[in-house]
Every structure is written in C-alpha cells, then in structure tokens.
C-alpha cells in the first residue's frame, strides 16, 4: 500500500498552463471551512486565504493587525474544504519583511501547519531575494503588485495605483522581477486596465486582477464583497453577484418574530 494519498487540488503547473491555453483563471477569498466548501464545489480554481480576513473576519480597519498564527488557523479550515481548488495563503504584515531567514521560515510554517499549496506576498524587486529562497525551499509563491494594502500607511489610502508613467514603469519592472524569481502567478490590484494588459503580455506567468480590467489572465474578488455581505462597500470594480446581506437580515428578522410569537418551533419541529 502506498503511503501517498492523492491530492486532488489544482497545481501551480496547471494554473500556469491555463494562461498558455487562454483559459481564464478564477480566484476568490475564503476564510472558513463552510464557505470554502461551497466555493470549491462551485468549481473555483484558486481559494485565497487573504489577509483581508483582518477586515472581514476580525473587523479591523486595516489588514496589518492579523497575525501569522491567525492566518494559519483560518487556512486549516479552508484546506480541509478544498477538493479541487489550489489554496493560496497571504503572508501577513511583518511575517516576511524583517529578514529573508524569517520570511522563508514563516512561508514554510504556513505550508507545513495549514497544508496550503502556496503563499502570497505583497511587493516587487525588494522582496525578490526572499521569494527566491522560498521557491528553492519548495514553497510556491504568488506575487502581489499595485495597491498593496499592507502599505496603506505609506500610500495614505486605497486609491488607484500606477497612474503616472514612473510608477507604471516600476510596476512593469517589478512584475518581470517576480516572474524571473519564479512566481507562479501575480495579483494586480487596482491599477489602470491598460497597464494590467501590458503586464499580462510582458510576463509568462498568469496575472490575476482585482480592479485591473479584464485583460488579465484571471480575476480575484473578496468573497464577502461579491456576495453582497458588506452593504457599505461598493467600489467601481466590484460586482455584487448576490445580495446576501438582505437575505441574512430577512432570515434573522423572521427567526426573531417567529420565536417571539411562539410559532417556532412548531409541533413538527419538536420531539
Ligand atoms: O487579502 C486579500 O483579500 C487580497 C485580495 C484582495 C487579492 O489580497
């Protein structure tokens, strides 16, 4: 009997092939077993345990406070749910910026303790040495350029990035450096569609856009945003594919009134 169990999830090789074959790549965030299972069953290609969990799960204003331990805890549930999708985990703020040794050790911890398939890091040429070491160690890496929320204090907000030529040129050079370092894909967040198209044509690894137009090789959205669970959040790039905030509110209101008026539970719902 073989000691190896078959991993049925997509591989980074498959994700790269999808670009070559012109097949669009789909990615959504997930932070828990129950929703990840539904998203995986629907046929998503990649599940991202994003550090947006800091906002969505923990209610923080920024992504910065979430810790490595918290990311690993959330990732375990998502990995248990994923039968088909490749699972990518965000390296949280502070877990890869101090030294390359720390970066590679933390990337290994994520794969070892959560069972995820890859990590994602924000940044360009400055983090290439750390990325190279992760890849040598056997950790597949997804890059992240453009709006990088961990640098919100440096940018002073979440506005469109790389509007000016100098920043656009730097982003293109960063994308080439990430490709050269061996990243299996690169997330491009909130940049002009024309620049995202230039980057997509310039690199051989897939680009996954969010607020970056439709010429990228794939798209990613925050699950709770696209399901319409965050009523107040509707940037231009976001499409609500459902209005679940209303559904949840209506269901809870009905529950409250049926408990109050004594009609729940009914005789059929009782033992
Ligand atoms: O943390 C996150 O949700 C992300 C996506 C916005 C790409 O990094």
């Amino acid at each position: 009997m073989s000691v190896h169990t078959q991993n049925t999830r997509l591989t980074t090789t498959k994700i790269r092939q999808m670009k070559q074959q012109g097949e669009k790549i789909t990615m959504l965030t997930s932070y828990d077993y129950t929703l990840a299972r539904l998203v995986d069953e629907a046929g998503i290609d990649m599940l991202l345990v994003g550090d947006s969990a800091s906002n969505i799960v923990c209610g923080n204003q920024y992504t910065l406070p979430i810790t490595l331990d918290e990311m690993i805890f959330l990732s375990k549930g998502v990995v248990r749910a994923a039968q088909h999708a490749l699972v990518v985990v965000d390296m949280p703020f502070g877990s890869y910026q101090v030294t390359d040794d720390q970066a590679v050790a933390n990337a290994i911890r994520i794969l070892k303790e959560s069972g995820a398939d890859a990590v994602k890091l924000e940044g360009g040429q400055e983090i290439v040495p750390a990325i190279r070491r992760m890849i040598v160690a056997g950790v597949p890496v997804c890059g992240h350029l453009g709006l990088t929320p961990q640098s919100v204090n440096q940018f002073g907000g979440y506005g469109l990035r790389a509007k000016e030529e100098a920043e656009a040129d730097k982003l293109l050079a960063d994308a080439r450096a990430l490709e050269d370092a061996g990243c299996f894909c690169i997330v491009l967040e909130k940049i002009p569609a024309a620049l995202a198209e230039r980057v997509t044509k310039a690199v051989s690894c897939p680009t996954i856009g969010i607020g970056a137009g439709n010429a990228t090789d794939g798209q990613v959205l925050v699950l709770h945003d696209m399901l319409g669970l965050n009523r107040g959040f509707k940037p231009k790039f976001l499409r609500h594919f459902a209005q679940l905030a209303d559904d949840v509110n209506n269901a809870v209101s009905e529950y409250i009134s049926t408990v109050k008026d004594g009609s729940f539970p009914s005789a059929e719902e009782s033992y």
Side-chain angles (χ1 to χ4, degrees):
M1 196 177 83
S2 165
V3 291
H4 298 285
T5 50
Q6 186 68 40
N7 179 0
T8 56
R9 301 200 294 269
L10 294 184
T11 60
T12 57
T13 307
K14 173 66 185 165
I15 298 296
R16 283 177 181 278
Q17 281 168 355
M18 288 169 79
K19 174 170 182 142
Q20 286 154 16
Q21 292 161 356
E23 182 182 348
K24 289 274 188 183
I25 300 161
T26 57
M27 185 187 224
L28 282 170
T29 63
S30 276
Y31 318 106
D32 68 65
Y33 174 81
T34 303
L35 283 178
R37 205 172 52 160
L38 293 175
V39 177
D40 185 72
E41 277 171 12
I44 203 81
D45 297 316
M46 290 197 276
L47 289 165
L48 171 64
V49 187
D51 60 357
S52 50
S54 178
N55 314 74
I56 303 287
V57 178
C58 309
N60 293 313
Q61 191 181 354
Y62 301 118
T63 58
L64 280 68
I66 200 156
T67 66
L68 185 62
D69 286 342
E70 288 165 340
M71 289 299 295
I72 290 172
F73 170 79
L74 296 174
S75 304
K76 286 179 182 175
V78 174
V79 169
R80 283 183 205 114
Q83 299 291 312
H84 164 81
L86 181 128
V87 181
V88 182
V89 179
D90 260 337
M91 295 197 68
F93 178 63
S95 69
Y96 59 95
Q97 293 93 341
V98 181
T99 67
D100 294 349
D101 283 348
Q102 180 215 42
V104 74
N106 286 335
I108 288 171
R109 249 199 86 192
I110 290 174
L111 259 62
K112 204 178 180 73
E113 294 180 29
S114 74
D117 304 300
V119 299
K120 176 165 84 60
L121 289 76
E122 297 179 5
Q125 289 155 80
E126 64 285 358
I127 57 166
V128 159
I131 290 175
R132 284 191 189 282
R133 285 194 47 196
M134 289 175 197
I135 292 170
V136 166
V139 180
V141 177
C142 170
H144 184 153
L145 298 171
L147 174 62
T148 46
Q150 291 178 14
S151 305
V152 62
N153 292 317
Q154 218 166 349
F155 295 148
Y158 292 120
L160 184 71
R161 303 303 311 170
K163 282 176 289 190
E164 312 301 334
E165 205 180 316
E167 196 186 341
D169 288 347
K170 158 114 176 51
L171 191 142
L172 189 58
D174 281 340
R176 288 198 168 112
L178 294 179
E179 173 199 26
D180 190 53
C183 288
F184 77 95
C185 68
I186 304 171
V187 167
L188 299 176
E189 181 165 356
K190 216 167 177 189
I191 61 170
L195 174 60
E197 184 169 4
R198 258 176 85 198
V199 173
T200 300
K201 286 182 175 154
V203 297
S204 61
C205 61
T207 58
I208 312 293
I210 173 166
N214 71 4
T216 50
D217 299 304
Q219 296 291 329
V220 56
L221 284 175
V222 169
L223 181 66
H224 292 57
D225 295 344
M226 61 84 80
L227 291 179
L229 279 163
N230 290 327
R231 279 208 182 97
F233 186 64
K234 182 66 183 78
K236 181 178 169 175
F237 69 81
L238 175 64
R239 187 182 296 179
H240 285 153
F241 290 84
Q243 299 291 346
L244 291 197
D246 294 341
D247 290 346
V248 171
N249 229 279
N250 291 337
V252 174
S253 298
E254 195 183 330
Y255 169 74
I256 292 169
S257 56
T258 58
V259 171
K260 296 272 187 197
D261 70 16
S263 62
F264 177 82
S266 65
E268 295 74 42
E269 288 159 332
S270 305
Y271 296 99

